């Protein structure tokens, strides 16, 4: 019996050999760029010298972690990272959820498709392009200030050098860039809701709002849960590319994050071991958040992501 099962398994693998070959480049890419660099984490426990390499650099234990945790700029960068990432995660789920529910109620298919296309477009642009647009829009003589001056007789505001406004611009622009992608995912989940549930709700006298509240939202909860868990995995990734291209020293107090601190340590300051230690710290914290969120989802709703 065991030999029969083994033989059938071999035949199944042979039948799907083309799919496995197609998967091979992705496996190699992931192994080379995601798993192989993990060996470099040994730098976090060394006083790494490029000329000496991993094998001959001095092992210093947890000294690098002590160094980064006692840095004057670490605490502020950690707080900024957590605040920015927290609001990005919440709003990147909430805004697309509201938008997808609204689009689901639209009767005209051409209007729905047009809105989906428009909100999806920013997702395909790099932050180098979008940052240039945002810097022009929020400049002291940019579009926003011109509108405020000409139509509302308000004084221009230096948005890009103000700690009061710059963090909000960073969060809002990131949500704007990614909301199209999440909206499409949530709309796909909504279209898979069984139509019989809506019919039963209408028979029971439910209004459109009650159908959304008691049928649509519970049905797409698994997709919302997946997006939440994936988002919590990046709780300390507040958007390095975005902040790097929009950053200026006057707003360091509110938008300096761990990634920009790592950049200054490792690339600009050549402190490779300290940068590796901070990267490892970020990864451990993200792993803890993913584990906790997954455990809560499993216990409260018996939902498995994997």
């Amino acid at each position: 019996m065991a030999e029969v099962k083994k033989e059938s398994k071999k035949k199944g693998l042979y039948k799907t050999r083309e799919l496995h070959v197609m998967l091979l480049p992705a496996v190699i890419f992931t192994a080379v760029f995601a798993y192989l660099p993990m060996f470099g984490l040994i730098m976090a426990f060394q006083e790494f010298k490029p000329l000496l390499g991993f094998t001959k650099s001095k092992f210093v234990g947890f000294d690098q972690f002590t160094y980064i945790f006692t840095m004057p700029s670490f605490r502020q960068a950690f707080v900024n990272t957590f605040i920015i990432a927290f609001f990005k995660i919440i709003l990147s789920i909430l805004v697309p959820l509201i938008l997808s529910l609204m689009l689901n109620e639209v009767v005209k298919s051409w209007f729905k498709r047009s809105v989906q296309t428009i909100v999806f477009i920013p997702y395909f642009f790099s932050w180098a392009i979008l940052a240039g647009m945002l810097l022009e829009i929020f400049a002291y003589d940019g579009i926003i200030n011109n509108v405020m001056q000409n139509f509302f007789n308000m004084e221009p505001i230096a948005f890009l050098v103000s700690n009061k406004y710059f963090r909000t611009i960073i969060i809002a622009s990131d949500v704007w860039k990614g909301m199209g992608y999440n909206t499409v995912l949530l709309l796909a989940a909504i279209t898979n809701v069984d139509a019989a549930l809506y019919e039963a709700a209408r028979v029971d006298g439910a209004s459109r709002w009650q159908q959304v509240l008691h049928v649509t939202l519970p049905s797409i909860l698994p997709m919302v849960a997946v997006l939440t868990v994936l988002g919590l995995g990046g709780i300390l990734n507040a958007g390095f590319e975005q902040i790097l291209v929009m950053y200026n020293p006057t707003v360091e107090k509110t938008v300096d994050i761990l990634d920009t601190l790592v950049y200054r340590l490792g690339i600009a300051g050549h402190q490779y071991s300290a940068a590796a230690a901070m990267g490892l710290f970020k990864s451990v914290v993200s792993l803890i958040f993913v584990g906790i969120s997954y455990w809560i989802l499993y216990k409260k709703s018996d939902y498995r992501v994997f």
Side-chain angles (χ1 to χ4, degrees):
M1 190 66 178
E3 291 181 1
V4 174
K5 288 183 178 179
K6 190 174 182 180
E7 188 67 25
S8 64
K9 186 176 181 180
K10 287 182 178 179
K11 289 182 179 179
L13 290 174
Y14 182 77
K15 288 180 179 179
T16 58
R17 61 188 182 280
E18 294 88 355
L19 298 177
H20 288 87
V21 172
M22 291 174 62
L23 188 64
L24 192 60
V27 173
I28 295 173
F29 184 88
T30 303
V32 172
F33 292 101
Y35 289 97
L36 192 61
M38 287 185 181
F39 292 104
L41 290 175
I42 193 174
M43 286 192 298
F45 306 95
Q46 294 179 325
E47 189 177 333
F48 180 74
K49 303 292 183 184
L51 295 178
L52 297 177
F54 296 121
T55 56
K56 296 183 180 179
S57 294
K58 182 182 177 182
F59 184 79
V60 294
F62 291 95
D63 287 357
Q64 298 295 344
F65 293 92
T66 303
Y67 169 68
I68 63 173
F69 292 151
T70 54
M71 290 177 61
S73 54
F74 174 80
R75 182 178 178 182
Q76 186 63 60
F78 181 80
V79 172
N80 289 338
T81 302
F82 194 86
I83 292 173
I84 293 172
F86 175 79
F87 282 104
K88 281 185 176 182
I89 291 170
I90 297 298
L91 293 175
S92 65
I93 296 172
L94 186 61
V95 173
L97 179 60
I98 295 171
L99 182 58
S100 61
L101 291 174
M102 292 172 65
L103 286 176
N104 189 54
E105 300 300 318
V106 175
V107 178
K108 301 292 184 181
S109 60
W110 66 267
F111 180 78
K112 181 189 293 188
R113 289 196 299 269
S114 300
V115 173
Q116 283 182 254
T117 303
I118 292 169
V119 299
F120 210 144
I121 289 174
Y123 180 79
F124 294 103
F125 290 106
S126 69
W127 273 117
I129 297 173
L130 292 180
M133 295 169 56
L134 291 169
L135 292 176
E136 288 295 326
I137 291 171
F138 290 98
Y140 194 76
D141 57 349
I143 297 172
I144 300 296
N145 278 319
N146 283 332
V147 171
M148 291 170 55
Q149 269 187 304
N150 297 328
F151 293 95
F152 301 100
N153 295 320
M154 296 174 64
E155 290 295 322
I157 300 174
F159 292 105
L160 300 177
V161 293
S162 170
N163 285 304
K164 181 180 179 181
Y165 298 104
F166 197 76
R167 182 188 285 171
T168 303
I169 294 173
I170 290 290
I171 296 170
S173 59
D174 185 79
V175 174
W176 166 64
K177 184 180 188 296
M179 71 179 182
Y181 180 79
N182 286 342
T183 299
V184 170
L185 292 179
L186 291 169
L187 273 173
I190 292 173
T191 56
N192 287 326
V193 178
D194 191 353
L197 296 175
Y198 292 109
E199 187 176 345
R202 285 193 294 269
V203 170
D204 291 336
S207 63
R208 289 300 302 172
W209 169 246
Q210 289 173 324
Q211 291 176 44
V212 169
L213 196 62
H214 299 291
V215 177
T216 307
L217 283 176
S219 299
I220 66 173
L221 186 61
M223 178 57 71
V224 175
V226 170
L227 293 176
T228 304
V229 171
L230 294 176
L232 286 173
I235 189 67
L236 292 186
N237 292 327
F240 171 67
E241 284 183 52
Q242 176 194 16
I243 293 178
L244 184 66
V245 295
M246 297 181 66
Y247 177 87
N248 63 79
T250 56
V251 291
E252 180 178 335
K253 182 180 177 181
T254 53
V255 297
D256 187 29
I257 59 173
L258 292 178
D259 283 331
T260 53
L261 186 57
V262 168
Y263 174 80
R264 293 200 302 273
L265 284 173
I267 305 300
H270 305 292
Q271 300 183 54
Y272 304 111
S273 294
M278 194 169 295
L280 181 57
F281 165 74
K282 280 183 55 190
S283 300
V284 171
V285 172
S286 298
L287 178 63
I288 292 171
F289 271 94
V290 169
I292 292 174
S293 60
Y294 179 76
W295 181 81
I296 292 173
L297 285 173
Y298 174 70
K299 289 295 183 182
K300 296 297 182 182
S301 60
D302 196 29
Y303 177 74
R304 293 177 179 272
V305 178
F306 307 104

